[in-house]
Amino acid sequence: MRRITLFCGHYGSGKTNIAVNYAFYIRSKGFKTAIVDLDIVNPYFRTKDSEKELEKCGIRVISLPFANSNVDLPSIPSESYSVFSNKDEYAVFDIGGDDSGAYVLGQFEPYIKAEKDFDNFYVANFSRPLTRNAEEALGVMREIELAGKVPFTGIINNTNLGEETEINDILLSNGEALRLSKISNLPLVMTTVREDLAKDVKAENIFPLKLQKKYW
Amino acid sequence: MSEKVLMKGNEAIAEAAIRAGCMHYFGYPITPQTELAAYMAKKMPKIGGVFLQAESELAAINMVYGVAATGKRVMTSSSSPGVSLKQEGISYIAGSDLPALIVNVQRGGPGLGGIQPSQAYYFQATKGGGHGDYHIIVLAPNSVQEMADLTALSFDLADKYRMPSMLLADGTLGQMMEPVILPEKSNNSVEKPWAVTGTEGKRKHNIVNSLYLKPDILEKVNFERYERYKEVEKNEVRYESFMMDDAEFCVVAFGIAARISKNAVIAARKEGIKVGLIRPITLWPFPKKPLADAADQVKGFVSVELSMGQMIEDINLAISCKKPVILCNRAGGMIPSPEQVLESIKALGGNK
């Protein structure tokens, strides 16, 4: 577990959900924790949706005051920089999808690289139509690296079909995740699984996920 | 891997359109439908199709008009203010009896409004938002799967009846992700002897036009068109009926409002309230008969809408005001909760 953890990936691969869950995880270990919402491309379903629960646990939420409002502005909260000077705090970054979402990362590149103690995880969901296999996922990965300027340090397999995910979907995707690991030369650091399924998946480094509640 | 993939509603429309043989997309970005255009921008060049970001919504709809005249499957998409801009073009397409698909991923309004979900474009979609006597087929999906399935159906119906069709979704459906089985590739396009494709000197040339110099001819064209609309009303009404068999109350809702309403109906049933749901899938043609039949059975209706009460007028018309209809709504980008719908059911007299 590094002091700075970034989650990037293809649009809709599950970055926000993992970032929120990961922040809770760090906090549960007793560390000071902040989560930074740097998603400037997604108008709905943001870190901000979990703000109350996060803050209740003592996690500092850094997001635009008008996230989830009708102000559709791609801007960055200036408070984001504070995590680089607060050395006693762990920080989780939720980055927008694809290369277009990762451009925002570019301006933090010098701070992140100076930090050294960071991880940049590539979130892969092989159930997404434009990243169905390792090669396609690698293509997106390279585009993101080019835009965000921060090299990836590991892969997260978050293959899922939302509420309809079955254990078999995850097991089937494991081979593709390992192949992506091989061709990208990056370790497969975890497989994220909806919490009610997590106990039944026999694989290394399972990270259980709580999904956000919907009422439709 | 399984056939199911995880998609945003907007992406599902785009992919389903391509699979339905739509190789021409013209649009202009606007939240919350931009992923649809973005998907087309990525995919169309790879498959030899056309993606064009026009200089405005007006330009885009007139490009659609042009391609539609050649008989090719063609579409545009936008969100509420953008669809308002397209209305003139839609009227011309309807007046020229051409098939085309227009997607509206609705957001709050009026005016520039906001980027959160809405259903306040029901009037515009179902009553002919542009000028003149015309209808378009309006389909209202309520899941990512239906975003895909009804896209394919929209093209088929538009071709069959030579008229524009509209997929009327909302921001939530456009943005949410769900598993979807994408429709098989098909191009059920009917014969289009009217298409402007070049005569090669072998036939009389076709004319695509909405201008008629003689009023009696224009009247005749209008009458003939309405005969076709009668056929649509007769053949193409689609709706879902849920727990209506023994219902004493009926909730009517479409799209995302219907999903919330379904949960409210299930909750009400647990409390012993006999309530059901009728979900119009076609908003035009509106499911008049099922509602009229329900009016003989139930004590009242709740219209659940993300608007200030638009569909409620069609419910009242369909049931000839036989039974009370109350409105349960949120507006401006807000979504009713299942609890709010349940309260409305109880307010109607469903309080046991």
Side-chain angles (χ1 to χ4, degrees):
Chain A
M1 203 168 78
R2 307 277 185 171
R3 197 181 80 74
I4 305 265
T5 310
L6 311 162
F7 294 97
C8 298
H10 177 43
Y11 201 50
S13 58
K15 301 169 293 296
T16 299
N17 207 9
I18 294 172
V20 168
N21 276 274
Y22 200 70
F24 280 122
Y25 168 75
I26 296 174
R27 184 72 191 117
S28 73
K29 304 245 166 209
F31 297 106
K32 259 179 93 174
T33 311
I35 184 163
V36 190
D37 176 9
L38 283 189
D39 187 344
I40 58 160
V41 291
N42 210 19
Y44 292 21
F45 310 122
R46 305 178 55 122
T47 300
K48 186 104 174 167
D49 295 335
S50 309
E51 191 173 31
K52 270 188 202 152
E53 293 89 333
L54 287 160
E55 287 183 340
K56 216 166 80 189
C57 278
I59 297 166
R60 190 159 73 98
V61 179
I62 303 172
S63 71
L64 287 168
F66 46 78
N68 278 2
S69 77
N70 281 328
V71 185
D72 195 9
L73 267 183
S75 57
I76 296 156
S78 57
E79 207 187 337
S80 310
Y81 291 94
S82 66
V83 300
F84 298 104
S85 46
N86 295 351
K87 300 281 184 196
D88 62 336
E89 189 180 46
Y90 278 75
V92 174
F93 280 77
D94 175 21
I95 316 290
D98 287 348
D99 48 346
S100 48
Y103 280 115
V104 70
L105 201 53
Q107 67 177 292
F108 296 97
E109 178 220 351
Y111 299 93
I112 293 166
K113 285 187 178 160
E115 184 68 36
K116 292 198 177 69
D117 189 17
F118 78 90
D119 264 320
N120 184 16
F121 292 142
Y122 178 79
V123 179
N125 179 353
F126 295 105
S127 290
R128 293 279 290 143
L130 299 182
T131 55
R132 292 285 274 159
N133 56 47
E135 285 73 21
E136 288 176 345
L138 183 70
V140 174
M141 182 192 275
R142 294 297 177 234
E143 286 170 10
I144 292 172
E145 271 182 335
L146 210 61
K149 297 194 271 186
V150 180
F152 282 110
T153 61
I155 295 161
I156 295 174
N157 179 14
N158 185 44
T159 297
N160 75 88
L161 288 167
E163 286 166 7
E164 288 185 31
T165 314
E166 287 170 15
I167 288 168
N168 213 26
D169 300 320
I170 300 160
L171 296 179
L172 279 173
S173 71
N174 196 47
E176 216 57 49
L178 290 171
R179 235 158 52 73
L180 176 61
S181 167
K182 198 174 167 195
I183 61 177
S184 66
N185 209 16
L186 290 171
L188 177 63
V189 292
M190 61 174 104
T191 300
T192 41
V193 184
R194 213 176 63 205
E195 58 180 355
D196 56 302
L197 298 178
K199 60 178 183 333
D200 298 322
V201 181
K202 284 174 187 60
E204 278 178 55
N205 302 322
I206 294 292
F207 187 85
L209 286 182
K210 246 191 195 45
L211 299 191
Q212 269 180 2
K213 239 169 111 178
K214 288 190 307 189
Y215 56 84
W216 52 70
Chain B
M1 301 207 79
S2 64
E3 283 305 295
K4 269 188 192 173
V5 288
L6 190 68
M7 287 185 106
K8 284 201 166 211
N10 286 333
E11 297 171 332
I13 294 173
E15 182 59 37
I18 291 169
R19 287 173 185 235
C22 173
M23 297 291 276
H24 298 82
Y25 174 94
F26 305 96
Y28 188 82
I30 181 170
T31 308
Q33 69 78 50
T34 301
E35 295 81 12
L36 204 172
Y39 193 95
M40 289 298 196
K42 270 201 174 141
K43 196 106 189 236
M44 282 298 197
K46 288 185 189 161
I47 57 170
V50 174
F51 165 85
L52 202 150
Q53 181 174 320
E55 66 268 37
S56 72
E57 285 86 350
L58 278 83
I61 192 70
N62 281 291
M63 290 170 185
V64 169
Y65 185 15
V67 172
T70 71
K72 302 276 186 211
R73 288 193 159 176
V74 57
M75 72 178 291
T76 185
S77 65
S78 190
S79 182
S80 309
V83 178
S84 290
L85 286 165
K86 291 182 199 291
Q87 290 302 325
E88 181 195 56
I90 296 171
S91 172
Y92 276 61
I93 295 169
S96 304
D97 298 309
L98 295 175
L101 173 62
I102 300 108
V103 176
N104 186 356
V105 183
Q106 300 168 90
R107 56 185 249 179
L112 204 47
I115 62 169
Q116 300 297 327
S118 168
Q119 295 180 329
Y121 304 84
Y122 177 91
F123 280 157
Q124 186 189 61
T126 60
K127 312 292 173 192
H131 55 284
D133 285 315
Y134 76 91
H135 280 294
I136 59 176
I137 293 165
V138 183
L139 294 157
N142 84 332
S143 64
V144 174
Q145 184 64 55
E146 280 197 357
M147 293 285 248
D149 295 344
L150 296 186
T151 294
L153 180 64
S154 297
F155 278 112
D156 289 347
L157 294 179
D159 276 351
K160 186 173 174 190
Y161 295 101
R162 282 185 68 179
M163 59 191 288
S165 61
M166 178 177 281
L167 203 66
L168 192 70
D170 69 79
T172 310
L173 286 167
Q175 293 295 326
M176 67 194 235
M177 293 184 73
E178 282 183 334
V180 52
I181 298 171
L182 290 162
E184 292 292 311
K185 276 197 181 119
S186 78
N187 191 349
N188 294 332
S189 204
V190 295
E191 284 291 305
K192 293 171 178 171
W194 46 264
V196 182
T197 51
T199 65
E200 295 176 12
K202 288 175 189 160
R203 60 164 167 81
K204 226 180 121 207
H205 66 271
N206 290 332
I207 297 173
V208 166
N209 178 39
S210 68
L211 172 70
Y212 292 86
L213 298 180
K214 292 181 177 165
D216 55 330
I217 303 292
L218 179 54
E219 182 194 47
K220 190 169 155 270
V221 169
N222 269 287
F223 277 129
E224 281 169 1
R225 191 171 293 131
Y226 269 69
E227 286 304 313
R228 204 156 12 107
Y229 290 164
K230 270 186 204 159
E231 286 297 302
V232 180
E233 290 201 83
K234 201 173 82 190
N235 302 332
E236 306 301 344
V237 170
R238 285 169 171 80
Y239 66 97
E240 180 195 349
S241 184
F242 178 68
M243 292 193 154
M244 278 301 294
D245 284 352
D246 62 341
E248 293 172 3
F249 303 94
C250 176
V251 177
V252 188
F254 68 92
I256 193 73
R259 290 172 68 128
I260 295 154
S261 300
K262 202 175 228 180
N263 287 335
V265 165
I266 292 165
R269 285 273 172 177
K270 279 184 189 152
E271 294 186 25
I273 305 167
K274 287 185 174 172
V275 57
L277 169 75
I278 291 180
R279 172 173 77 94
I281 296 170
T282 49
L283 299 180
W284 195 91
F286 194 65
K288 293 176 191 168
K289 187 164 185 308
L291 286 165
D293 292 346
D296 294 329
Q297 175 191 331
V298 301
K299 294 173 186 162
F301 295 82
V302 184
S303 184
V304 183
E305 305 182 32
L306 276 67
S307 70
M308 293 309 292
Q310 300 193 5
M311 181 179 65
I312 193 170
E313 293 190 4
D314 281 340
I315 299 170
N316 270 315
L317 281 171
I319 65 167
S320 306
C321 299
K322 261 191 214 165
K323 295 284 164 67
V325 187
I326 62 168
L327 178 67
C328 172
N329 70 321
R330 296 294 298 270
M334 302 302 291
I335 299 180
S337 65
E339 292 75 25
Q340 190 189 345
V341 179
L342 185 57
E343 285 305 308
S344 292
I345 295 166
K346 289 178 178 174
L348 197 60
N351 208 348
K352 292 225 165 172

